[in-house]
Amino acid sequence: MTKNTVCRLCSSCCPVEVEVENNRLVSATRKSFLPGNKQLVCPKLASAPEIVHSKKRLLTPFIRKDGALVESSWDNALNFTAKALLDTREKYGASSVAWLRGMAADWGAPWDYAARLMHAFGSPNAIGNGSVCHVAREMAHNFTYGAMTLPLAKDSRCILVWGKNDFNTCPPAAEAILHARQNGAHLIVVDPIKTRLARMADIWLPIKPGQDGLLAMSMINLILENNWFDRDFTQNFTIGLDRLARAAKAFDIESTAQSMGLDAEKVRQATRLYATTKPACIVEGNGLDMQLATFQATRAVCILRAITGNLDKAGGDFIPQPVPANNIRLAENIYEKEKPITAAYPLFSFFHPNWGLHAQSCLIDAILDEKPYPIKALVVQAGNPLVTMADSNRMEKALAKLDFLAVIDPFLTRTAQMAAVVLPACLCFEKTQLNRASMRNNLVLLQDEVISPVGQSRPDWQIVFDLAKKLGLAEFFPWKSVEEAIGVQLAPSGITVEALRKNQQGIAAQKVRFEKHCQDGFATPSGKVELFSQRLADGGQPGIPFENGFGSQSVSFEDELGREGLLGMSGDRTNYFTHSQFHNVDALAKRCPKAQANLHKEDAAERGIKDGDLLKISTPRGELTMIAQISDAVQKGCIQLGWGFGDADPKAGVNLLTDDDLRDPVTCTPSARSFYCKVERVEER
Ligand SMILES: Nc1nc2c(c(=O)[nH]1)N[C@H]1C(S)=C(S)[C@@H](COP(=O)(O)OP(=O)(O)OC[C@H]3O[C@@H](n4cnc5c(=O)[nH]c(N)nc54)[C@H](O)[C@@H]3O)O[C@H]1N2
Ligand SMILES: Nc1nc2c(c(=O)[nH]1)N[C@H]1C(S)=C(S)[C@@H](COP(=O)(O)OP(=O)(O)OC[C@H]3O[C@@H](n4cnc5c(=O)[nH]c(N)nc54)[C@H](O)[C@@H]3O)O[C@H]1N2
Ligand code: SF4
Ligand SMILES: [Mo]
């Protein structure tokens, strides 16, 4: 039987059609606007049946007894968890209990339920991982023009891809770029790695990692000095142009090119092409995340969109039209009563009504250093922080120090192996939930249950509702089914679950409108695009990006290892895996069985390294081993370290090397993406 749902095996949230036989997933196909022979294939989706029906799935809850995890009934496991959380509240107060969600729960309403549960329990500390991902960038957009733009690449004439690798990480976005390219659109790529997109670009700017703020400010300067900006739009709809122009003068391309490792003339060409082709859009990605100046660098990129007049135009950068929905968190009440552990990052913590708290490194501070106060019990939902959070050794100490750890996951991850209770969660095809990714802009799609839960696993929503009952909080979860809860959330849109099941392509909530600012202004305090932000200045941050200079430190361990070391980069996200996930799936693992370190032939020769040698790579935080591969995609001086292998191979986790001490002052982002490291050969192939 053919059914429709949304795949959530990675954060791309693709609408898919699946074949189901006898309650087993048989195959799954991504829906695409391209004809079949031009569509990109997602290997993870192709392996969905193997992932879902894997022998490694957790089929029952587990409780730790005499040091070992033993099978348990749901009732016992939930009672055990509830008792631990209630005892902790009794002893140390409700705020000493925290909930951490990983990326498999973002864009998902189940995360709203977990936050609601924590708030009802009395703790403000429902924490997400957005400081290393999308939310830090979303804040920069928000502070510039009131919303995070969506690049309309498919209809664009010039696409500037900035730190995004869509062929591997988001096939629908890659298809949009391919389509535009076939229609003659220009393509510019800013990426230290020669990705597939970089190979097909008109201009590739192989920037040195962590220098994006320099490049964006240099481009702003070039655009203003050469009059390549949109005078009408800038005059009518922005504030702070003169101050921006003054600040940008410090970023003259002749003086910045060398630090970025770029050719000044090429930057000039790229800037001119981007600024003078209309409409143009910027597709930005995780390459801008995990930097010590993530916030300001992203804001500078946002300003490029504004001064070139591409905001909210067809083929430009669209200001989304979110679907109206009820916010079911209880946050307003809780933050007034209880300061969250992320309070040192107030601008980031409270900038958005839905996103909640994302300065995730604060959680580790609170466990280990008991600052601003101790966290004693933790529930981890849909994340594997032991592998994915910066500085794994520090993370491991923190997890070991907790009085209580519960993990909600479909698999026994390394994080789950440290837990007192493990609750088996369903994967995306086994549950119905609202998927908020499409709801950011107009469309409601139902992620619908297409097979029933594997083993005794339960959907996240049900685990939260059941735990609420055990905690005496049933009154906050009066809904008898997830459909009823979704009905409450969607009420303001007038869209119902019933209607969504009938309209499997989704339901649009409103008519698409361009250039909404002409009528409505922008959703910022001034109603304009804030090149200068008084809100930031009032919060003690530069009102114009890099107004006080670029700063001397942009990557970790430069002082310690900058001379002898190579610049380590966390990558590549291959399209076989999602972070630490699916390395346990044979069909995918055999495509890429071992973590590889890709490096330039000259760096390899200097160190006597050949293809296939075993390398030891170290920083002051720790060391790992990977297999050397000489690659023409990597610049001299850099080494690209395979990402996400730390669950399958504890010795190959990139975060063994990363630092969590230095952070972006606005978003608490550590530099987990780029860091100097020492590279040695330990064994010949
Ligand atoms: N297959 C797969 N798909 C995924 C995921 C996955 O793990 N696997 N993860 C999902 C998630 S949570 C996310 S956030 C997205 C991320 O998806 P993307 O945004 O595409 O992120 P990455 O592939 O990590 O990095 C994008 C590019 O940034 C480049 N880069 C690295 N450092 C820098 C830098 O300093 N400056 C610039 N300009 N570029 C740099 C990298 O070389 C890479 O080509 O993918 C999602 N989709
Ligand atoms: N050095 C470095 N660090 C990074 C990154 C990097 O590129 N370099 N990337 C960063 C980014 S962008 C992100 S988003 C984070 C990702 O960090 P995590 O969220 O920790 O990443 P995953 O390894 O994908 O872990 C997701 C977990 O959720 C489980 N899961 C899957 N589906 C479900 C579900 O429906 N319900 C539940 N309860 N569990 C489910 C999976 O089995 C898996 O264990 O890592 C960040 N850390
Ligand atoms: S890219 Fe693949 S794994 Fe990710 S949501 Fe889309 S179909 Fe699923
Ligand atoms: Mo992410």
Side-chain angles (χ1 to χ4, degrees):
M1 194 197 300
T2 308
K3 296 183 175 183
N4 292 270
T5 186
V6 176
C7 175
R8 193 55 191 75
L9 295 178
C10 86
S11 51
S12 298
C13 302
C14 301
V16 292
E17 211 175 76
V18 301
E19 287 302 323
V20 173
E21 275 168 28
N22 302 324
N23 198 34
R24 283 182 76 86
L25 194 68
V26 178
S27 66
T29 324
R30 203 165 50 78
K31 295 177 189 167
S32 165
F33 71 94
L34 287 178
N37 59 348
K38 292 205 170 150
Q39 287 173 16
L40 298 173
V41 172
C42 171
K44 298 183 291 307
L45 187 68
S47 290
E50 199 182 338
I51 294 169
V52 170
H53 302 292
S54 160
K55 288 205 175 65
K56 291 168 190 145
R57 283 285 298 269
L58 290 171
L59 302 178
T60 68
F62 286 81
I63 297 184
R64 191 168 297 279
K65 276 200 188 119
D66 304 323
L69 285 170
V70 292
E71 282 188 16
S72 143
S73 69
W74 268 103
D75 213 38
N76 279 347
L78 288 170
N79 283 333
F80 188 86
T81 306
K83 182 169 184 315
L85 300 186
L86 291 167
D87 286 352
T88 309
R89 183 170 72 177
E90 180 73 29
K91 222 164 141 187
Y92 303 102
S95 300
S96 66
V97 175
W99 192 292
L100 176 67
R101 74 110 171 107
M103 81 95 217
D106 67 6
W107 298 129
W111 168 231
D112 298 336
Y113 306 140
R116 184 178 174 87
L117 176 69
M118 276 292 98
H119 298 160
F121 182 78
S123 172
N125 295 318
I127 316 282
N129 69 359
S131 52
V132 295
C133 187
H134 167 101
V135 191
R137 261 183 297 125
E138 172 136 358
M139 180 187 170
H141 284 248
N142 220 285
F143 269 65
T144 311
Y145 29 67
M148 188 169 197
T149 48
L150 294 171
L152 300 179
K154 192 169 151 242
D155 302 316
S156 194
R157 303 297 306 152
C158 180
I159 303 166
L160 170 50
V161 175
W162 201 308
K164 199 155 190 270
N165 189 12
D166 280 325
F167 277 105
N168 287 12
T169 57
C170 191
E175 286 176 344
I177 296 173
L178 278 175
H179 177 85
R181 207 56 190 140
Q182 270 170 4
N183 288 342
H186 298 293
L187 179 65
I188 303 164
V189 172
V190 180
D191 199 305
I193 300 289
K194 201 191 249 179
T195 59
R196 187 165 160 196
L197 281 167
R199 285 178 204 276
M200 62 187 245
D202 297 303
I203 304 179
W204 169 43
L205 299 177
I207 192 171
K208 203 172 147 197
Q211 312 304 310
D212 298 271
L214 274 185
L215 178 60
M217 290 306 289
S218 304
M219 290 175 71
I220 291 172
N221 186 49
L222 281 168
I223 289 171
L224 296 179
E225 279 196 334
N226 290 292
N227 273 316
W228 294 331
F229 65 104
D230 183 327
R231 200 166 286 277
D232 276 355
F233 179 86
T234 318
Q235 256 167 15
N236 293 325
F237 295 106
T238 71
I239 53 167
L241 182 67
D242 291 345
R243 196 161 163 177
L244 174 71
R246 276 198 301 278
K249 278 207 185 327
F251 297 86
D252 174 68
I253 187 60
E254 299 302 335
S255 66
T256 58
Q258 198 190 354
S259 312
M260 300 188 287
L262 293 176
D263 172 51
E265 187 45 37
K266 246 192 181 174
V267 176
R268 217 174 270 117
Q269 280 170 16
T271 307
R272 182 180 188 153
L273 181 63
Y274 164 67
T276 58
T277 312
K278 301 283 162 18
C281 68
I282 303 182
V283 177
E284 80 187 20
N286 210 237
L288 278 171
D289 298 325
M290 287 174 271
Q291 297 193 13
L292 292 172
T294 277
F295 179 75
Q296 295 203 67
T298 310
R299 231 173 83 70
V301 172
C302 291
I303 286 174
L304 286 170
R305 295 184 175 94
I307 60 175
T308 53
N310 281 301
L311 282 180
D312 221 17
K313 300 245 173 84
D317 296 291
F318 190 62
I319 300 279
Q321 297 172 273
V323 174
N326 277 322
N327 185 350
I328 60 158
R329 291 156 188 238
L330 306 168
E332 306 79 52
N333 317 337
I334 192 81
Y335 295 153
E336 277 163 28
K337 280 189 253 147
E338 291 286 328
K339 240 188 184 180
I341 50 173
T342 61
Y345 298 88
L347 292 170
F348 188 43
S349 292
F350 309 119
F351 84 94
H352 195 278
N354 288 109
W355 271 121
L357 311 177
H358 285 270
Q360 65 166 354
S361 295
C362 294
L363 176 66
I364 316 309
D365 302 346
I367 301 170
L368 285 177
D369 309 332
E370 313 205 336
K371 281 181 188 150
Y373 51 79
I375 291 293
K376 295 287 186 182
L378 178 68
V379 180
V380 173
Q381 175 195 14
N384 192 3
L386 183 56
V387 176
T388 56
M389 278 184 73
D391 195 350
S392 302
N393 290 317
R394 183 166 184 262
M395 185 70 212
E396 187 165 9
K397 271 190 212 128
L399 293 178
K401 189 183 172 201
L402 288 165
D403 287 356
F404 176 77
L405 172 66
V407 172
I408 306 173
D409 205 287
F411 293 96
L412 191 66
T413 60
R414 287 188 58 219
T415 304
Q417 285 167 37
M418 293 187 72
V421 178
V422 183
L423 302 174
C426 292
L427 279 166
C428 52
F429 303 105
E430 300 151 52
K431 60 187 173 189
T432 296
Q433 63 179 36
L434 262 190
N435 188 297
R436 280 220 249 103
S438 70
M439 287 171 64
R440 278 177 72 203
N441 185 38
N442 211 355
L443 187 71
V444 190
L445 270 169
L446 194 63
Q447 182 183 319
D448 210 2
E449 178 178 320
V450 294
I451 54 167
S452 32
V454 166
Q456 291 178 35
S457 70
R458 290 185 183 174
D460 289 85
W461 66 264
Q462 194 186 347
I463 297 173
V464 171
F465 289 16
D466 292 347
L467 186 58
K469 279 190 204 111
K470 301 284 187 188
L471 289 167
L473 301 170
E475 64 180 301
F476 294 97
F477 295 86
W479 312 302
K480 287 186 196 63
S481 63
V482 75
E483 285 82 358
E484 200 180 321
I486 294 174
V488 170
Q489 290 173 278
L490 277 185
S493 71
I495 297 169
T496 62
V497 175
E498 223 182 353
L500 288 170
R501 286 198 168 125
K502 280 192 200 128
N503 295 275
Q504 296 185 323
Q505 307 307 317
I507 300 176
Q510 45 206 311
K511 206 171 130 231
V512 178
R513 289 164 60 215
F514 291 101
E515 297 185 76
K516 299 178 274 295
H517 49 268
C518 297
Q519 249 182 354
D520 313 339
F522 288 93
T524 55
S526 63
K528 300 210 169 178
V529 175
E530 302 200 337
L531 310 175
F532 169 78
S533 161
Q534 189 62 49
R535 253 192 306 176
L536 286 172
D538 292 346
Q541 302 299 332
I544 298 268
F546 303 109
E547 206 173 18
N548 309 331
F550 185 62
S552 56
Q553 181 132 32
S554 48
V555 296
S556 308
F557 311 129
E558 184 151 15
D559 291 344
E560 294 94 325
L561 294 166
R563 280 164 163 275
E564 55 170 329
L566 293 176
L567 188 45
M569 301 178 57
S570 168
D572 162 19
R573 288 192 208 290
T574 73
N575 53 9
Y576 308 123
F577 309 119
T578 300
H579 306 292
S580 73
Q581 299 183 65
F582 316 136
H583 296 266
N584 58 2
V585 175
D586 292 343
L588 295 170
K590 78 174 181 225
R591 310 281 287 271
C592 191
K594 287 260 186 256
Q596 281 175 350
N598 299 321
L599 75 172
H600 190 272
K601 59 176 189 267
E602 287 174 30
D603 292 320
E606 273 170 30
R607 289 164 180 77
I609 295 168
K610 294 197 203 62
D611 256 344
D613 288 352
L614 186 70
L615 302 181
K616 180 174 109 180
I617 302 163
S618 57
T619 70
R621 297 290 167 272
E623 63 177 58
L624 55 73
T625 50
M626 285 191 188
I627 308 288
Q629 170 141 35
I630 293 162
S631 161
D632 75 338
V634 182
Q635 301 297 294
K636 184 165 159 42
C638 293
I639 184 163
Q640 189 198 34
L641 309 171
W643 166 237
F645 288 81
D647 196 74
D649 177 0
K651 288 205 183 87
V654 169
N655 282 321
L656 289 165
L657 304 182
T658 54
D659 173 65
D660 198 12
D661 297 355
L662 280 177
R663 300 169 188 169
D664 181 308
V666 179
T667 59
C668 187
T669 304
S671 170
R673 170 167 300 279
S674 20
F675 44 85
Y676 277 95
C677 55
K678 197 170 155 189
V679 179
E680 301 156 89
R681 190 184 73 171
V682 287
E683 217 177 276
E684 238 176 294
R685 180 174 56 167

